[in-house]
């Protein structure tokens, strides 16, 4: 609160109450955020911005500011994104600043950041008249217009819109407008930080003196103890995060949150809506059946087959409109015309609207068998027509989240399953309920696991059935445990990691990157922490492909949000964009890698030994990568003894 009281972005940007909110308010805040690597200070600046807008601006101002802060133009699941290529930006910068194309290109080679080049060029240019200042609303509206334009003929229009933004920029605005247009804001604001700052702003707002402009913070110590405030903050963050995972749409959520007593009713107000994807519940890994039994003592549980396909959240509106979302909330409706066509075959007469949680799996009608993920993943992804489908998808439903206007997520699994079975109809090769058995004897579970593996499944999902069995959106819950066949063979689970750097290849690999630096994601600190250098498991085609796809994401220096030991010096750094699944022989304590540093050894992190690339995880965002908390769990869970012989070695 001290920080909040000291710096006011609104005052700094010279905003007069009653006028539209200037973009400068956000640009100044970005500048402050960029100048620090302390996450706490970053959160304070963001909180400061949000609460100022809450007190002085409109709810729409706040929503617009949130989208611009996370470099989005609307809810992620709508799939509209900025990501304007350098070519069009270079020509817009050149035309709006009077610099030659050649000059901008040369500078790009030297400086590496078009935002900085545009800002420097802007400052040298004399303007005849200054267009009106950019407002938050006008910037978002233009960003939306630009993202909506498609096709070759649209390039000119895009360029005009970009130029109209650039000529109106002042000061540091140019830098952030360019970076936002590129889709690389590079200030390290994850959605998690935004939700935390939003919760804090909502909680603090009553403690500001609104009669002053800009409002000053009142001394909350007169009203409550610090511990009490912290407790309230934890509760607020939990509520806001859950509300957002139920309804990941700021346009819908923010008005409910900022209204009077919004925090106390937010979970009820932000209930599920058909057509808005829910952040899926996730499972915890276990090393085997005995560990699972230890966790579930005295609790009823159920074992389900763990199908190996692609998560599919199927939404059906009362008007029959169907949409299908991936684990990542991406709209994959266009990938599954066969599922869309089959919906009427599997809904009962009572069903009007629903949200089903399922796994879409490849199915061979000739043998009536499930196909492997590798075969299924060869299906085309976009704008698929029925004649292009060679591998039909069969839906295996394991949860029902919503039916006929009512959310079911607070019901126990046993109830949700009952409603699922009552209202939906199995149809061979098209729709099945996930096979399950409520067994509890170790031998029976072992036999069931083997049956699942024989049936081309990955293993079992074991879930609490009655007690503690509500559906927890976005949570990696201990009430869902996964037992994969690989765990039983003594292997660790695979990890999903983010390439943040690379070394140029030598010999056969000359011309491509030959090895990559991979990182896990630390949710608490919003950091990417390194855990291995990897050069194994890639085919030659993959090496060439990754070199091409990652080149546009090369950055000059590691981001603030990368935690890297000085001894690791890759030839290039990347913005975090891709997620790769990787297997390792085991995990060991590392003096040079920073993953979960301090968690198992006070000064060392955890690294993967003998990492091997498995596949790309297109259904994951960098923030969905394996977390450092999971890395610690995996390290502790591994069957082999991790002490003496490997503790000080790092294979890198
Ligand atoms: P994460 O746990 O990080 O999501 P992941 O995406 O690699 O990792 P897994 O760990 O393999 O997924 O397991 C969870 C996934 O298993 C679910 O996201 C879902 O797609 C799939 N799945 C298959 N069968 C079931 C089932 N019966 N119940 C729940 N999930 C299932």
């Amino acid at each position: 609160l001290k920080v909040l009281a000291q710096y006011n972005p609104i005052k700094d940007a010279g905003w007069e109450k009653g006028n539209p909110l200037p973009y400068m308010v956000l640009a100044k805040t970005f500048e402050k955020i960029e100048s620090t690597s302390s996450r706490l200070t970053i959160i304070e600046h963001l909180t400061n911005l949000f609460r100022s807008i809450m007190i002085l601006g409109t709810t729409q101002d706040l929503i617009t500011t949130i989208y611009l802060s996370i470099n989005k133009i609307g809810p992620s699941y709508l799939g509209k994104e900025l990501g304007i290529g350098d070519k069009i930006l270079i020509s817009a910068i050149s035309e709006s600043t009077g610099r030659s194309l050649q000059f901008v290109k040369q500078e790009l080679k030297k400086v590496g950041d078009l935002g900085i080049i545009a800002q420097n060029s802007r400052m040298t240019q004399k303007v005849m008249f200054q267009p009106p200042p950019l407002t938050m609303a006008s910037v978002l509206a233009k960003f939306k217009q630009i993202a909506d334009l498609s096709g070759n003929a649209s390039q000119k229009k895009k360029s005009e819109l970009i130029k109209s933004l650039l000529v109106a920029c002042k000061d540091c605005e140019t830098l952030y407008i360019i970076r936002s247009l590129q889709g690389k804001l590079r200030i390290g604001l994850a959605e998690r930080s935004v939700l935390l700052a939003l919760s804090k702003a909502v909680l603090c707002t009553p403690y500001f003196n609104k009669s002053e402009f800009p409002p000053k913070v009142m001394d909350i110590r007169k009203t409550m103890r610090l511990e009490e405030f912290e407790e309230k903050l934890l509760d607020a963050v939990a509520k806001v995060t859950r509300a957002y995972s139920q309804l990941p749409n700021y346009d819908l959520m923010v008005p409910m949150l900022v209204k009077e007593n919004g925090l106390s009713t937010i979970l009820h107000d932000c209930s599920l809506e058909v057509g808005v994807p829910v952040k899926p519940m996730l499972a915890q890994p276990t090393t085997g059946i005995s560990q699972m039994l230890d966790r579930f003592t005295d609790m009823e549980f159920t074992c389900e087959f763990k199908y190996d396909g692609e998560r599919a959240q199927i939404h059906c509106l009362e008007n029959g409109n169907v949409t299908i979302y991936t684990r990542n909330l991406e709209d994959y409706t266009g990938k599954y015309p066969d599922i869309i066509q089959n919906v009427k075959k599997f809904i009962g007469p009572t069903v009007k609207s629903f949200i089903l949680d399922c796994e879409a799996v490849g199915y061979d009608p000739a043998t009536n068998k499930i196909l492997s993920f590798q075969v299924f993943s060869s299906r085309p992804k976009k704008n698929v027509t029925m004649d292009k489908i060679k591998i039909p998808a069969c839906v295996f439903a394991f949860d029902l989240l919503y039916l006929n206007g009512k959310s079911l997520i607070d019901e126990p699994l046993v109830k949700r399953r009952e409603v699922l079975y009552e209202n939906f109809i199995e149809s061979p090769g098209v729709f099945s309920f996930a096979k399950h058995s409520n067994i509890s004897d170790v031998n029976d579970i072992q036999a069931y696991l083997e049956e699942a593996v024989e049936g081309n499944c990955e293993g079992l999902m074991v879930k609490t059935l009655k007690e503690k069995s509500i559906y927890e959106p976005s949570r990696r819950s201990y009430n869902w445990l996964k037992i994969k066949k690989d765990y039983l063979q003594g292997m660790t689970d695979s990890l999903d990691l983010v390439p943040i750097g690379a070394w140029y290849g030598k010999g056969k690999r000359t011309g491509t990157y030959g090895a990559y630096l991979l990182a896990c994601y630390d949710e608490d600190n919003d950091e990417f922490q390194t855990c291995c250098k990897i050069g194994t498991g890639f085919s030659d085609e993959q090496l060439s492909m990754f070199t091409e796809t990652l080149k546009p994401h090369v950055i000059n220096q590691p981001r603030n949000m990368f935690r890297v030991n000085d001894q690791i010096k890759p030839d290039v750094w990347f913005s975090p964009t891709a997620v790769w699944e990787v297997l390792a022989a085991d995990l060991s304590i590392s003096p040079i890698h920073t993953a979960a540093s301090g968690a198992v050894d006070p000064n060392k992190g955890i690294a993967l030994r003998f990492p091997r690339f498995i596949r790309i995880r297109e259904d994951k965002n960098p923030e969905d990568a394996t977390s450092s908390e999971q890395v610690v769990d995996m390290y502790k869970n591994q069957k082999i003894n991790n002490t003496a012989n490997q503790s000080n070695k790092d294979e890198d």
Side-chain angles (χ1 to χ4, degrees):
L1 285 174
K2 256 193 198 157
V3 178
L4 294 188
Q6 276 162 11
Y7 172 70
N8 191 302
I10 282 184
K11 194 175 174 192
D12 198 19
W15 182 48
E16 303 271 332
K17 196 174 177 178
N19 287 347
L21 186 63
Y23 180 72
M24 185 62 84
V25 170
L26 188 63
K28 291 268 179 194
T29 308
F30 282 167
E31 214 173 32
K32 284 267 167 198
I33 287 177
E34 224 185 342
S35 67
T36 174
S37 57
S38 149
R39 195 171 118 86
L40 276 181
T41 314
I42 291 175
I43 301 288
E44 289 308 295
H45 282 307
L46 207 56
T47 308
N48 193 15
L49 173 71
F50 291 166
R51 68 91 195 160
S52 304
I53 295 172
M54 277 163 69
I55 296 168
L56 303 164
T58 62
T59 305
Q60 191 52 50
D61 284 336
L62 182 62
I63 297 169
T64 307
T65 309
I66 292 174
Y67 281 127
L68 290 173
S69 307
I70 48 172
N71 209 174
K72 296 259 155 73
I73 51 171
S76 309
Y77 62 85
L78 294 181
K80 292 246 164 86
E81 279 189 5
L82 287 167
I84 307 297
D86 282 357
K87 200 171 156 208
I88 187 164
L89 288 174
I90 289 172
S91 79
I93 293 170
S94 149
E95 284 174 38
S96 59
T97 62
R99 299 284 199 191
S100 73
L101 271 179
Q102 207 189 359
F103 173 85
V104 182
K105 282 182 192 161
Q106 268 169 0
E107 283 296 287
L108 182 59
K109 278 199 190 123
K110 268 194 265 162
V111 182
D113 185 335
L114 271 180
I116 294 176
I117 298 165
Q119 188 172 337
N120 292 345
S121 307
R122 169 104 203 103
M123 285 191 287
T124 59
Q125 192 205 17
K126 291 190 188 75
V127 279
M128 300 277 281
F129 69 97
Q130 185 64 42
L134 290 175
T135 65
M136 217 77 103
S138 69
V139 170
L140 186 64
K142 283 215 172 135
F143 281 179
K144 280 185 184 169
Q145 267 179 288
I146 292 168
D148 276 342
L149 290 167
S150 59
N152 277 347
S154 67
Q155 298 300 318
K156 197 164 174 290
K157 183 91 188 99
K158 267 189 199 172
S159 176
E160 290 304 321
L161 285 164
I162 295 169
K163 275 190 283 177
S164 71
L165 282 167
L166 291 181
V167 291
C169 282
K170 280 194 208 134
D171 250 334
C172 57
E173 285 181 332
T174 321
L175 175 70
Y176 298 111
I177 288 285
I178 290 285
R179 285 190 187 165
S180 300
L181 285 165
Q182 289 177 305
K184 305 184 206 168
L185 204 43
R186 300 188 193 167
I187 51 168
L189 274 186
E191 202 138 56
R192 216 177 132 85
S193 312
V194 170
L195 290 172
L196 177 54
L198 189 59
S199 315
K200 208 166 175 183
V202 172
L203 200 65
C204 291
T205 301
Y207 301 101
F208 284 88
N209 188 347
K210 293 178 200 167
S211 56
E212 284 178 62
F213 184 82
K216 287 224 174 65
V217 65
M218 294 187 282
D219 191 351
I220 62 157
R221 279 163 300 185
K222 285 185 192 146
T223 328
M224 66 173 117
R225 286 177 302 117
L226 196 59
E227 293 80 21
E228 201 186 324
F229 178 78
E230 273 171 4
E231 223 168 83
K232 283 191 176 213
L233 181 59
L234 278 182
D235 179 58
V237 175
K239 279 190 181 142
V240 171
T241 311
R242 178 156 164 120
Y244 185 69
S245 44
Q246 291 177 184
L247 196 67
N249 180 325
Y250 292 111
D251 298 277
L252 302 176
M253 189 185 96
V254 172
M256 320 254 202
L257 185 63
V258 297
K259 69 176 192 196
E260 186 113 17
N261 289 327
L263 257 180
S264 49
T265 51
I266 189 75
L267 282 178
H268 172 262
D269 290 343
C270 290
S271 186
L272 313 200
E273 262 185 37
V274 184
V276 180
V278 183
K279 292 203 165 186
M281 180 164 173
L282 303 169
Q284 289 282 356
T286 43
T287 47
I289 296 167
S290 58
Q291 194 194 30
M292 179 279 284
L293 288 172
D294 284 350
R295 282 225 177 112
F296 284 165
T297 35
D298 300 333
M299 270 201 280
E300 273 187 64
F301 60 83
T302 181
C303 298
E304 276 175 8
F305 276 20
K306 183 178 188 315
Y307 296 91
D308 195 7
E310 185 165 48
R311 196 154 185 170
Q313 201 181 94
I314 308 178
H315 289 234
C316 179
L317 284 161
E318 273 198 31
N319 65 9
N321 211 346
V322 179
T323 29
I324 301 176
Y325 297 99
T326 59
R327 181 196 185 287
N328 212 10
L329 313 191
E330 238 182 286
D331 188 341
Y332 262 25
T333 314
K335 180 178 175 179
Y336 292 121
D338 44 348
I339 299 183
I340 308 284
Q341 209 176 59
N342 287 335
V343 166
K344 25 186 186 327
K345 290 189 196 158
F346 62 74
I347 53 172
T350 46
V351 175
K352 294 192 188 93
S353 58
F354 64 84
I355 305 176
L356 274 173
D357 203 354
C358 317
E359 189 82 351
V361 181
Y363 193 82
D364 182 354
T367 58
N368 280 336
K369 283 211 165 116
I370 289 175
L371 296 167
S372 72
F373 175 77
Q374 274 68 20
V375 176
F376 187 55
S377 61
S378 65
R379 261 177 77 120
K381 292 192 176 59
K382 284 193 180 139
N383 306 325
V384 181
T385 46
M386 286 300 283
D387 55 303
K388 294 229 177 73
I389 297 177
K390 301 211 171 60
I391 305 150
C394 178
V395 170
F396 286 88
F398 50 81
D399 223 315
L400 178 63
L401 313 186
Y402 180 101
L403 185 72
N404 299 342
K406 196 171 170 283
S407 163
L408 298 172
I409 59 171
D410 291 320
E411 301 287 351
L413 176 57
V414 66
K415 174 76 183 166
R416 302 199 301 275
R417 195 185 260 171
E418 195 185 298
V419 184
L420 172 68
Y421 277 58
E422 272 169 14
N423 289 279
F424 291 80
I425 306 154
E426 286 197 301
S427 165
V430 168
F431 179 89
S432 294
F433 302 123
K435 202 170 165 191
H436 76 269
S437 173
N438 299 352
I439 38 176
S440 54
D441 181 89
V442 182
N443 294 325
D444 293 346
I445 299 172
Q446 180 67 43
Y448 203 52
L449 175 63
E450 279 158 25
E451 194 186 322
V453 173
E454 257 164 48
N456 257 343
C457 288
E458 254 191 310
L460 295 179
M461 294 289 282
V462 189
K463 303 175 178 178
T464 44
L465 194 57
K466 293 181 179 162
E467 212 187 307
K468 295 192 178 161
S469 68
I470 60 165
Y471 189 92
E472 301 168 76
S474 89
R475 277 207 58 194
R476 187 172 297 284
S477 170
Y478 281 102
N479 300 328
W480 277 22
L481 301 179
K482 49 188 179 188
I483 310 181
K484 291 193 192 173
K485 58 181 180 225
D486 296 346
Y487 307 167
L488 305 180
Q489 290 152 5
M491 279 156 77
T492 54
D493 195 9
S494 60
L495 292 93
D496 298 317
L497 303 172
V498 181
I500 59 164
W503 287 263
Y504 295 121
K506 291 186 189 127
K508 246 179 73 185
R509 291 189 173 177
T510 306
T512 63
Y513 299 128
Y516 289 89
L517 179 63
L518 299 187
C520 64
Y521 178 62
D522 178 359
E523 294 172 311
D524 290 335
N525 296 305
D526 195 7
E527 271 181 355
F528 288 92
Q529 305 173 340
T530 72
C531 54
C532 67
K533 177 178 176 180
I534 186 171
T536 311
F538 302 102
S539 65
D540 291 345
E541 292 76 41
Q542 280 166 337
L543 283 175
S544 312
M545 182 177 84
F546 295 154
T547 308
E548 281 314 304
T549 52
L550 287 169
K551 235 182 218 156
H553 303 289
V554 169
I555 46 178
N556 270 10
Q557 53 191 40
R559 296 245 184 109
N560 276 350
M561 66 187 324
F562 294 174
R563 191 136 168 236
V564 187
N565 184 296
D566 290 345
Q567 292 180 50
I568 299 185
K569 293 193 175 83
D571 298 322
V572 288
W573 296 99
F574 305 120
S575 295
T577 48
V579 181
W580 293 349
E581 186 173 342
V582 165
L583 261 178
D586 53 62
L587 297 147
S588 66
I589 300 284
S590 164
I592 59 165
H593 284 292
T594 55
S597 179
V600 280
D601 181 292
N603 307 310
K604 293 175 185 165
I606 299 175
L608 270 59
R609 295 203 321 139
F610 307 117
R612 178 160 51 87
F613 173 84
I614 303 294
R615 64 180 169 118
I616 316 179
R617 288 293 308 249
E618 278 171 358
D619 59 340
K620 284 195 170 185
N621 290 323
E623 285 82 16
D624 299 322
T626 299
S627 65
S628 38
E629 211 178 327
Q630 283 175 278
V631 173
V632 174
D633 279 349
M634 285 173 153
Y635 174 81
K636 288 186 178 159
N637 278 340
Q638 53 191 2
K639 283 183 174 169
I640 48 156
N641 187 0
N642 256 306
T643 49
N645 55 353
Q646 25 167 320
S647 59
N648 285 326
K649 273 194 203 152
D650 184 82
E651 290 305 315
D652 291 336

